[in-house]
Amino acid sequence: QVHLVESGGGSVEAGGSLRLSCLLSGYKYSEYCLGWFRQAPGKEREGVATIDSDGEINYADSVKGRFIISQNDAKNILYLQMNGLKAEDSAMYYCAADNEPGAIWLRTIRAPYTGYWGRGTQVTVSS
């Protein structure tokens, strides 16, 4: 059973930075794509960034050039470095694992959500 726990959320002013972390257990990196997703109140869940087991990375257009997804060498921690934060980045951020290719998963995420999900960490950006 894959288990994911997010941390690192918080409140920050526009233009600031945060780094989210996701601790993974029960996970075999060669079998899953990992991703960060977010959901603001009253909005659909949307893809932020994904990283496939072969290292391919995909970003949503809205965060490209500002956010960076990465993993530690042991492949058991997923990070999301968020720079140049904007008010519209405010949302609950979720870490997830699925066996769908990241480029597709990022853009087609729809409820009911497949794969494994953490409980989320809140990011609030004040303008």
Side-chain angles (χ1 to χ4, degrees), residues 23-35:
L23 180 63
L24 300 106
S25 59
Y27 151 74
K28 191 170 182 180
Y29 75 89
S30 61
E31 296 181 348
Y32 293 98
C33 175
L34 303 179

